Amino acid sequence: MAKIKVAKTAGFCFGVDRAVKLVYSEIEKGNKNVATLGPIIHNADVVSDLKSKGVRIVDSVSELKNGETAVIRSHGVGREIYTQLEEKGNPYIDATCPFVARIHKIVREKTNEGYFILIAGDKNHPEVQGIVGHCDENCFVFKDEFDLKEFFSKKYKKTEKKLAIVAQTTYNILIWGECIKVVPHDDENILVFDTICNATSQRQSDAALLSKEVDAMVVVGGKNSSNTIKLYNVCCENCPSYHIENASELYRLDLNNADKIGITAGASTPAYIIKEVQNTMEEIFDFEKELEQSFKKVHTGERVKGYIAAVNNSEAIVDIGTKHTGYVPLAELTDDQTKKPADVVSVGDEVDLIVTKINDQEGIVMLSKKKVDELLGFDNITKAKEEETVLDGTVISVVKGGILVSVDGVRVFVPASQTGLGRDKSLDELLKKNVQLKVIEVNESRRRAVGSIKAVTKAQKEAAKAAFWESAEEGKTYKGEVKSLTSYGAFVDLGGIDGMVHISELSWSRIKHPNQVVKPGDILEVYIKELDKEAGRISLGYKKAEDNPWVKFEADYKVGDVVKATIVSITPFGAFAKIIEGVDGLIHISQIADKRVDNVNEVLSVGQEVDVKITEIDLDAKRISISIRALLENTADAEETDAE
Ligand code: F3S
């Protein structure tokens, strides 16, 4: 809608306002015999209102009825009119504007002082005729600088008088400026009185200012009002302008192409008429806007703004400012299948949409928010590629050769090789998961983007590695996952870095393979035994001191103790027997029985439980000697003693 602005000063000036009020107050006093000498102002509406209240308009004093109160209007009159009124005996109200009366005084005084009077103005205007009427035929009226130039070239010398120059109060200030240039400056016999009313000049300069900032001006005032005509001329210099008397004329004006319209008004235009013009203009534009909106066409593919009018479980209903009802189905609101329309938009939201389908007959328009999001999102995708930014997205589907990830409404294809999933894994595992990716390829013309999740995890791993080496030190403990096993140890992932736990470090017991203690996927608490930052090698420890069976053994056992032990292995020179978990003792072949044994297997077998006596402990060498024979000898000694 066009913007409408009213000039700072527009309408009734002080003099006109005073004159009109004087007439109305006379009527209010009950005087029914009032006549104005000419229309009180050049405004048909005010004049007709006064007429309806019984106020007559007469052209001359002779037309006045006996006793009728005459009103001299703001323009003022010549001296002979006052004389006529006095002679006829009619009472009168002098509504001459004080600024006009000042000009009367100047010209009278200067005439008496022997000056010749020059009057800038329109000789047919009542105000100028009134001024002339105070000059005793001692004057010349000029309309512009050309008239004045001619006066100086042809008539000035003949007057052989000093000159006093005045101007009609509503004289055009621009022309007045040109006239002043024509006046000889160094002639002290020439006096110039700037009698242009400030109200007029102010109104004109405000109108000039406003007309420069708008596309069209509407000047309101009587068709005969000279100050309105001058205002109109001032405005015409800056933009297309229209002179109207009241709001009813607005409908014929061509203001369609104007975005900003200014209003000004002549001195005789009452405030209520200006207001009426302003209001009517606003109504016209409102109506035109509504009309234009209701006929506004939309096209498939067009981008429009809309307001969410309602939301249900399957769609959002949108007002796009036309006669159509707009619908955005859920699938066109978002790619995220977990969301409902209310999760995406709310009633009252302003949204950017793209028209996807129009049904004029049913007055329905189908729209898509997702497509706009895609357009905007694609700019972000392009930027992210340039800046190598990590983007967040949701995996929306598994397609041939990879997955599609929705990032800010844009579908980014991630090839299977870039998902970071092992070949044995199914891509379905990623469905609906939130992932981070880097854009590795963009085709702007086809609006396609390729991303890589692996690039992010790789970068994250490298960052984790750097952080690990930064803080790693011997003795520091970590929780890590067993990644793989070999015959000599287990590899443990410490968060991007693999360390190895040697088989001897996996258990205090003697084991043949790490799988006797751990398996891939187990989480172990390990500590760094040895660190070689340069070679990037880490040896990990897993056994804990508090679990050391030798410490327990030392605390609980001594030489001479008789214990139960389980045969765990047999060798040609004896058998190893487990005393406690992690501590085995050796029964030398000579200590198996109280007679000679040639083959250990003939006497003992693995898993057999035997009573043994601890005969020697070497903690440093972690060697324990145990003996069955010692017990047998003890028994034989005891039996011999009993027999004696
Ligand atoms: Fe008086 Fe100035 Fe108005 S001279 S009538 S106040 S324009």
Side-chain angles (χ1 to χ4, degrees), residues 37-52:
L37 293 173
I40 189 74
I41 54 171
H42 290 299
N43 184 283
D45 294 273
V46 177
V47 168
S48 95
D49 184 55
L50 286 174
K51 195 176 166 192
S52 72

Side-chain angles (χ1 to χ4, degrees), residues 388 390 417-421 436-438 440 451-467 495-497:
E388 296 189 11
V390 174
S417 61
Q418 294 297 322
T419 58
L421 274 191
Q436 288 193 310
L437 56 82
K438 271 191 177 179
I440 53 174
S452 169
I453 297 171
K454 207 166 126 185
V456 178
T457 43
K458 193 178 162 201
Q460 284 169 343
K461 270 187 190 162
E462 271 159 19
K465 263 186 198 174
I497 301 280

Side-chain angles (χ1 to χ4, degrees), residues 53-181:
K53 290 180 165 62
V55 177
R56 294 199 314 133
I57 299 173
V58 296
D59 290 329
S60 63
V61 174
S62 60
E63 289 175 37
L64 288 169
K65 294 179 193 164
N66 279 343
E68 197 172 31
T69 303
V71 180
I72 298 171
R73 54 195 180 160
S74 59
H75 298 318
V77 291
R79 272 167 48 180
E80 76 281 8
I81 303 294
Y82 291 94
T83 312
Q84 286 171 18
L85 284 167
E86 271 149 31
E87 283 173 0
K88 203 163 187 295
N90 283 74
Y92 66 87
I93 295 167
D94 191 352
T96 305
C97 171
F99 297 118
V100 178
R102 176 177 161 250
I103 303 175
H104 294 172
K105 190 167 171 262
I106 291 170
V107 297
R108 252 195 336 266
E109 280 175 5
K110 292 303 161 195
T111 298
N112 291 341
E113 289 168 18
Y115 282 79
F116 185 73
I117 310 296
L118 290 182
I119 306 165
D122 172 3
K123 65 179 182 219
N124 298 316
H125 191 276
E127 180 192 327
V128 174
Q129 287 171 345
I131 298 167
V132 168
H134 288 267
C135 295
D136 300 337
E137 308 287 320
N138 173 50
C139 62
F140 171 71
V141 178
F142 63 96
K143 68 174 188 300
D144 52 28
E145 69 270 31
F146 304 107
D147 270 6
L148 189 59
K149 229 181 233 172
E150 198 178 324
F151 170 82
F152 277 115
S153 63
K154 293 183 183 164
K155 299 181 186 161
Y156 178 39
K157 280 187 185 146
K158 288 181 197 160
T159 63
E160 289 178 350
K161 281 185 173 179
K162 296 184 278 187
L163 291 179
I165 308 175
V166 296
Q168 183 180 342
T169 55
T170 52
Y171 196 67
N172 185 314
I173 46 170
L174 302 174
I175 301 176
W176 176 247
E178 293 306 310
C179 293
I180 297 301
K181 287 182 198 164

